[in-house]
Amino acid sequence: MSTQQGVKLQIESDHVVLDNGMLKLTISKPQGMVTGIQYNGVTNLLESRNDEIDRGYWDLVWSKTGSTGTKGSQERISGTSFSVIVENEEQVEVSFKRTWDPSLEGQLPSLIIDKRFIMLKNSSGFYSYGIFEHLAEWSPFNLPQVRIVFKLSKDKFHYMAVSDNRQRFMPLPDDRSEKRSKPLAYPEAVLLVNPVEPEFKGEVDDKYQYSCENKDLKVHGWICSDPTVGFWQITPSNEFRTGGLVKQNLTSHVGPINLAMFLSAHYAGDEMVLKLKPGEPWKKVLGPVFMHLNTTTDGRDPLSLWEDAKRQMAVEVQSWPYSFPASEDFPKAEQRGRISGRFLVHDWCVSETSIPGNGGYVGLAPPGEVGSWQTDGKGYQFWTQADEQGLFSIANVRPGDYNLYAYIPGFLGDYKFGSSVTIAPGSSMDMGDVVYEPPRHGPTLWEMGYPDRTASGFYVPDVDPKYINKLYVNHPDSRFRQYGLWDRYTELYPDKDVVYTVGKSDWAKDWFYAHIPRRTKEGEYVPTTWQIKFYVDSVGNTSSSNVGDYLLRVAVATAHVAELQVRINNQDMSSSPLFSTGVIGHDNTIGRHGIHGLYRLYEVLVPAALLSKGENIFYFTQTQIEGPFQGIMYDYIRLEAPPSSPHCLSLA
């Protein structure tokens, strides 16, 4: 579908219209709300029964500095001035800007926000990006969320696609009404009891069931069958998103609603909230993202639009960084730099020499502590995966100062290069060999799980048939997204908790994926203590008669207002634990159908005097019991013997 018409801009008293002959985009002036999208004979793809401010818009959540948590005041970002940035046959770029002054103190966050929309000739879609700026002399604040929302016509768009194996026909928004649904444990989740379409009866609808990691969240959207139209949101780069490649974000959900998430605290909590300090300036470009429209003209299956959307996504990714945004705050390709090198791993208890970091994640992010990229929202991040030889290359990096970070599935912990890295415009930097030495005390006595920063290797139960989402029945990698799996723990362990015996038990079958409280018959919650039984033939150093300390490593995939206490050979809760995390986490991953949140790694020194020859037992107690979602998901647990030599081999 193409046209020879150039892009036209029509400016009216309270709207502007961008038209390239393929689609018309109508935006309120000066507010910058998308009120209409005309395409393929459809007057408006958006829900025209909604108010004009409730169809397509940017919004944010903010709170006063010093506040905690992820909630706050929501602002549907409304421009106060309109201007034309570029206008010619090839391109139109328009700006809807809102300013700030001290008279707005307490009413709005102290930000200048410039929302931009771009339409190109012969492009079946439009782009949007935002420039956010806070001056040092302005009052500080917290910023938990920034996003773009499109509310599509509920009469037209019924099929949603997030990935190749996560797509389906969806319920109607009417099905979530009080007369057609039953509320569940939190407002986002409802049980459909009397839906308009009987096929959805007995299913759970919850927007968090469709969350996705940033690295996999490049295109998602909706399909209308009559007429055949697809609406897709394409994110060609992760550089402006927060939290790295595996940060989870919302995608699309019943409405039909399509989201472009730039900043969110989902699956991370308060630690992920962007918090500006007094006297701290900040400026960031969010986007551009592309809203792609497509259709079929030859009677093909409407689901073929998903394949076309993926092809367009590949085109957009290849075109990054775009050459056409007019803002000087968006550097073009020639203004950016490149960094490359070889990522190696040297675990002296696995291999005497360094091995290639095949599949390792290597990235540039703002300077900070080891692993600080997980919660960074102020700066830009640039990530890639190393190849089979450990080689990595990161192109199109914005000029600035960064730290080089890395981590690799199969090995514990995080890597940070010793000094900061400065990327200059047009530069190309070769880091040579970058060697990560994972934490290691001594040989592995035993291990549980696979260290990939998720709990996916442990036992995920079948869903209670009362709370099913048909999409995830026998799903190869998303069984954990079913509603209510936390309640299955009480059903499976009504009186006693998990007991795992090293060498006999199977962590994929015998170690529940989430360490949570047990619900009693009275509806109360009680702490749970899980046991790890293991045997040692002798206590002490494995290569001499000298006795040394053992080390227990506990990698946590996520935590939510939880406390892990560890005891050895003593289950008495009144005694002091060998180790406690203290109360950690606000990830809310358990209730939001995730398998990981923020990664945390703990080490517990185990004096040899506390071990016995023969059977020993670690007692893991999760003490926090105010609600069903408080708990921990483990990534990996390992007990290491005392150090034996620089070139030890695993004893497992």
Side-chain angles (χ1 to χ4, degrees):
M1 184 176 179
S2 63
T3 177
Q4 296 304 310
Q5 176 183 315
V7 189
K8 296 180 179 179
L9 174 64
Q10 180 179 346
I11 301 176
E12 302 172 353
S13 59
D14 53 2
H15 292 85
V16 297
V17 179
L18 284 67
D19 182 357
N20 66 0
M22 300 171 69
L23 74 152
K24 288 185 179 180
L25 179 67
T26 303
I27 309 172
S28 65
K29 177 172 74 76
Q31 297 85 2
M33 309 295 183
V34 180
T35 64
I37 302 173
Q38 182 176 330
Y39 176 77
N40 195 34
V42 181
T43 303
N44 196 352
L45 301 182
L46 302 179
E47 183 50 75
S48 57
R49 284 168 288 201
N50 289 2
D51 292 338
E52 286 198 345
I53 63 170
D54 192 33
R55 299 177 187 175
Y57 53 87
W58 284 71
D59 71 2
L60 58 79
V61 175
W62 72 284
S63 60
K64 293 182 179 180
T65 189
S67 60
T68 58
T70 61
K71 298 186 182 298
S73 301
Q74 187 171 28
E75 180 198 351
R76 196 159 296 183
I77 303 168
S78 182
T80 55
S81 65
F82 163 75
S83 61
V84 178
I85 306 299
V86 176
E87 183 182 8
N88 56 53
E89 286 195 350
E90 299 297 322
Q91 171 182 343
V92 167
E93 179 171 343
V94 289
S95 162
F96 303 86
K97 193 172 186 179
R98 88 126 162 100
T99 56
W100 190 88
D101 62 61
S103 68
L104 299 172
E105 186 70 49
Q107 302 175 45
L108 297 175
S110 48
L111 281 169
I112 297 173
I113 302 175
D114 188 352
K115 299 184 297 180
R116 302 282 184 95
F117 292 89
I118 300 173
M119 182 176 286
L120 304 179
K121 182 179 179 179
N122 280 333
S123 173
S124 182
F126 61 96
Y127 300 82
S128 186
Y129 68 107
I131 307 163
F132 286 58
E133 183 174 14
H134 170 81
L135 303 184
E137 61 268 25
W138 288 349
S139 57
F141 62 92
N142 296 345
L143 192 61
Q145 179 173 282
V146 180
R147 64 183 185 173
I148 304 177
V149 181
F150 287 98
K151 296 183 176 180
L152 304 175
S153 169
K154 70 177 184 179
D155 294 336
K156 297 181 176 64
F157 291 94
H158 299 149
Y159 191 89
M160 188 183 81
V162 175
S163 67
D164 285 335
N165 63 359
R166 296 176 69 196
Q167 48 184 272
R168 60 169 294 178
F169 285 100
M170 295 290 285
L172 294 171
D174 311 65
D175 295 335
R176 293 180 56 90
S177 66
E178 291 185 5
K179 68 178 182 178
R180 294 189 178 276
S181 68
K182 176 184 176 182
L184 294 175
Y186 44 87
E188 292 86 352
V190 297
L191 180 65
L192 306 179
V193 295
N194 184 31
V196 175
E197 297 291 340
E199 65 180 289
F200 299 115
K201 185 175 182 179
E203 286 205 56
V204 168
D205 179 65
D206 182 352
K207 66 181 180 180
Y208 293 112
Q209 292 181 319
Y210 305 105
S211 298
C212 190
E213 292 180 352
N214 283 340
K215 65 181 175 60
D216 302 317
L217 185 50
K218 296 178 180 179
V219 56
H220 63 97
W222 294 82
I223 293 173
C224 168
S225 297
D226 186 18
T228 305
V229 172
F231 183 97
W232 310 99
Q233 192 265 301
I234 295 175
T235 303
S237 170
N238 283 305
E239 69 178 50
F240 44 79
R241 283 173 166 164
T242 56
L245 290 182
V246 296
K247 166 70 172 67
Q248 295 174 91
N249 273 311
L250 296 174
T251 59
S252 299
H253 59 86
V254 164
I257 290 175
N258 191 283
L259 302 172
M261 303 296 297
F262 298 109
L263 190 157
S264 86
H266 294 134
Y267 305 94
D270 182 69
E271 294 179 68
M272 185 74 257
V273 173
L274 189 156
K275 299 176 181 177
L276 292 172
K277 302 173 184 177
E280 180 182 12
W282 176 67
K283 193 173 190 179
K284 189 172 184 178
V285 177
L286 303 178
V289 294
F290 183 51
M291 273 54 71
H292 172 59
L293 308 178
N294 58 3
T295 186
T296 61
T297 56
D298 54 5
R300 286 185 299 157
D301 184 347
L303 299 189
S304 65
L305 296 180
W306 166 248
E307 297 300 323
D308 174 77
K310 290 194 298 179
R311 286 190 290 270
Q312 186 63 42
M313 176 269 291
V315 171
E316 301 298 324
V317 170
Q318 188 65 33
S319 302
W320 188 269
Y322 296 135
S323 60
F324 50 81
S327 173
E328 294 180 354
D329 294 306
F330 183 79
K332 309 301 186 289
E334 64 274 12
Q335 298 170 305
R336 298 179 177 230
R338 174 188 293 269
I339 190 169
S340 60
R342 184 169 66 152
F343 180 51
L344 304 174
V345 182
H346 186 201
D347 183 337
W348 52 274
C349 274
V350 174
S351 172
E352 293 188 359
T353 60
S354 298
I355 61 175
N358 179 20
Y361 294 94
V362 184
L364 295 174
E369 301 299 321
V370 174
S372 60
W373 54 268
Q374 279 195 112
T375 55
D376 176 73
K378 296 177 182 177
Y380 301 93
Q381 299 194 29
F382 304 85
W383 289 88
T384 191
Q385 270 191 289
D387 67 12
E388 293 181 356
Q389 288 76 45
L391 298 173
F392 67 89
S393 179
I394 307 174
N396 300 314
V397 181
R398 283 171 163 265
D401 295 328
Y402 302 90
N403 277 142
L404 182 72
Y405 300 96
Y407 63 95
I408 178 170
F411 294 89
L412 284 170
D414 287 271
Y415 171 81
K416 186 184 91 167
F417 186 72
S419 58
S420 62
V421 175
T422 299
I423 301 297
S427 65
S428 182
M429 179 182 299
D430 186 352
M431 298 290 291
D433 288 348
V434 174
V435 182
Y436 172 47
E437 296 184 3
R440 173 64 72 173
H441 175 75
T444 298
L445 282 175
W446 51 261
E447 60 186 350
M448 296 169 55
Y450 178 74
D452 63 356
R453 306 167 82 97
T454 82
S456 60
F458 296 118
Y459 176 65
V460 177
D462 291 332
V463 62
D464 185 328
K466 294 184 299 184
Y467 301 119
I468 201 167
N469 182 320
K470 294 175 184 176
L471 176 62
Y472 298 119
V473 175
N474 299 320
H475 200 280
D477 54 15
S478 296
R479 284 168 51 88
F480 58 86
R481 296 194 183 277
Q482 295 280 16
Y483 175 88
L485 297 183
W486 53 87
D487 275 341
R488 296 302 319 280
Y489 181 78
T490 297
E491 297 172 20
L492 294 169
Y493 298 91
D495 302 308
K496 297 180 180 179
D497 291 315
V498 170
V499 177
Y500 184 92
T501 302
V502 174
K504 295 182 179 179
S505 301
D506 180 348
W507 68 66
K509 298 178 181 177
D510 303 316
W511 189 262
F512 199 77
Y513 82 110
H515 192 168
I516 49 182
R518 180 189 295 103
R519 180 170 42 82
T520 68
K521 294 179 181 178
E522 293 74 27
E524 298 177 346
Y525 292 94
V526 296
T528 49
T529 298
W530 294 8
Q531 299 179 34
I532 304 175
K533 293 183 177 181
F534 62 100
Y535 293 81
V536 292
D537 295 330
S538 62
V539 179
N541 191 290
T542 58
S543 62
S544 72
S545 60
N546 295 326
V547 176
D549 293 327
Y550 293 68
L551 193 74
L552 178 72
R553 297 193 189 275
V554 182
V556 172
T558 187
H560 184 64
V561 197
E563 179 190 16
L564 172 63
Q565 294 183 359
V566 178
R567 292 174 173 82
I568 179 75
N569 294 329
N570 178 12
Q571 195 175 0
D572 184 2
M573 285 287 291
S574 64
S575 65
S576 297
L578 180 65
F579 169 80
S580 172
T581 60
V583 179
I584 57 171
H586 290 87
D587 302 7
N588 206 10
T589 302
I590 295 167
R592 289 176 172 169
H593 325 295
I595 202 67
H596 68 86
L598 296 181
Y599 178 77
R600 300 166 175 88
L601 179 59
Y602 299 97
E603 59 181 44
V604 183
L605 199 65
V606 184
L610 297 181
L611 294 177
S612 303
K613 181 180 178 179
E615 183 180 87
N616 294 266
I617 304 177
F618 277 118
Y619 296 96
F620 281 28
T621 303
Q622 200 296 100
T623 67
Q624 301 301 298
I625 57 172
E626 287 75 25
F629 308 128
Q630 291 178 273
I632 285 171
M633 291 185 190
Y634 301 100
D635 164 42
Y636 176 75
I637 302 170
R638 182 172 77 202
L639 181 63
E640 299 175 12
S644 56
S645 76
H647 303 291
C648 67
L649 295 177
S650 171
L651 302 178

